[in-house]
Amino acid sequence: METQPYLLEALKLAKEAGTRGEVPVGAVVVHEGSVVGRGSNSREVEQDPLGHAEMQALRDAAKALGSWRLVDCDLYVTLEPCPMCLAACQQARVRKVVYGARDEKGGALCLGFGVHDHPKLNHRFEVIHSPMEECSQVLKDFFKSLRNQSG
């Protein structure tokens, strides 16, 4: 299955988040080829430490499908999930996570959290880094703009 269209959909959501002053991260949950969940960062607007794009997309998908078990679903996200979000994917029983940009400072995989494939866990899932330069660039541009505003 081609990852590009779903990452592009997540990228649209990330850009929208950036216009609201949020770190531009977007996520979509796909079930049987259709997007059933969407999310973008909302920590600043909602003052919610759990307001990550992945969390919103998982909640949205669970509501749309009528089940918290997202066993036949894949999550596409513009930025490597943090440990909390990767653990949420494990709890939701997603089939696969695909991300477009690495997060060297906060990404679960870069930090060494193997929640997705730990042998003692009852559910394991595939995680794929599908590099997309625009996912990285939107973040670089956002933080550059913040630095320019403050200095």
Side-chain angles (χ1 to χ4, degrees):
M1 185 178 291
E2 176 68 33
T3 62
Q4 186 89 2
Y6 300 121
L7 281 175
L8 287 172
E9 180 76 21
L11 188 59
K12 287 180 196 172
L13 295 166
K15 289 177 180 179
E16 290 171 12
T19 65
R20 296 189 311 270
E22 299 284 350
V23 174
V25 178
V28 296
V29 175
V30 176
H31 179 256
E32 297 179 352
S34 296
V35 174
V36 295
R38 291 174 171 78
S40 59
N41 274 1
S42 63
R43 291 192 305 174
E44 296 300 328
V45 170
E46 295 180 12
Q47 290 301 301
D48 178 4
L50 305 180
H52 290 209
E54 300 95 325
M55 303 296 271
Q56 286 189 353
L58 292 170
R59 281 189 198 113
D60 196 33
K63 193 175 291 184
L65 297 174
S67 176
W68 62 266
R69 291 177 182 90
L70 303 177
V71 291
D72 295 322
C73 295
D74 303 325
L75 174 75
Y76 292 83
V77 60
T78 56
L79 182 64
E80 177 183 347
C82 73
M84 174 184 71
C85 291
L86 201 63
C89 290
Q90 193 275 335
Q91 290 296 310
R93 313 295 196 260
V94 299
R95 178 176 50 197
K96 175 174 57 178
V97 174
V98 179
Y99 65 97
R102 291 192 190 279
D103 183 354
E104 300 291 334
K105 295 179 181 178
L109 302 165
C110 285
L111 294 174
F113 291 89
V115 175
H116 64 294
D117 64 0
H118 195 284
K120 289 187 176 182
L121 292 173
N122 66 328
H123 177 73
R124 287 174 290 286
F125 55 95
E126 184 178 13
V127 176
I128 299 169
H129 177 218
S130 181
M132 182 183 278
E133 178 56 33
E134 198 171 354
C135 291
S136 298
Q137 194 61 51
V138 72
L139 288 158
K140 290 175 188 173
D141 292 346
F142 176 80
F143 287 111
K144 181 178 180 180
S145 174
L146 282 182
R147 286 189 301 275
N148 288 343
Q149 289 174 11
S150 65

